[in-house]
Amino acid sequence: MNAPPAPARLGVARPAGSESETLAAPERDVALDMVRRSVYFAVPLLAAGAVGWGWPGALSVGMALGLVLVNFMLGAAVIGWGARSGPAAMMLGALGGYVARLGIVAAAVLPVRHHDWFELLPFAVALLVTHLGLLIVETRRVSLSLAFPGLKPEGRP
């Protein structure tokens, strides 16, 4: 006879393939949903960069979009690690990860800022609009319930 699954506890890692695997990593689910929804921002921003600045504008916007998506995925990975390791590790991961991800953005921009193919204005606008836009859009999709951590189930208000 199979025993019922144990209730979800904070800070307890579950084996891969368990039926409550989505409860183990809601931050990953949210970040992947943001990556999926980034298409809504990518097409108009790439088009605006291409129309306003030509290929350098489109390449700069593409670089900004890539950095935003990497930023959100790394943030989810660090917070997931911290959640499994304990509250102190989660706080360290959230703050330290934020500073490290800002450093990654700076490290990506500083070497290319003087190249002919890089335009700062479309890059900065795309970086800002995509970060804030995805966060605003995702707030409508995130569940603030302990019954459904992470994303709201389909069909729920």
Side-chain angles (χ1 to χ4, degrees), residues 19 27 42 52 61 63 74 122 137 156:
E19 65 183 64
E27 65 283 342
V61 168
M63 181 179 171
L74 286 175
V137 167
R156 293 198 52 132

Side-chain angles (χ1 to χ4, degrees), residues 26-101:
E27 65 283 342
R28 181 190 64 210
D29 295 340
V30 170
L32 288 174
D33 192 56
M34 291 173 107
V35 168
R36 189 179 53 137
R37 291 180 187 284
S38 69
V39 174
Y40 300 129
F41 292 89
V43 173
L45 286 172
L46 285 168
V51 167
W53 291 270
W55 281 110
L59 288 173
S60 300
V61 168
M63 181 179 171
L65 293 170
L67 280 171
V68 168
L69 299 181
V70 166
N71 194 354
F72 283 135
M73 292 304 294
L74 286 175
V78 168
I79 290 173
W81 166 82
R84 289 186 302 276
S85 301
M90 189 159 140
M91 289 186 286
L92 175 67
L95 180 60
Y98 175 72
V99 172
R101 289 181 287 126

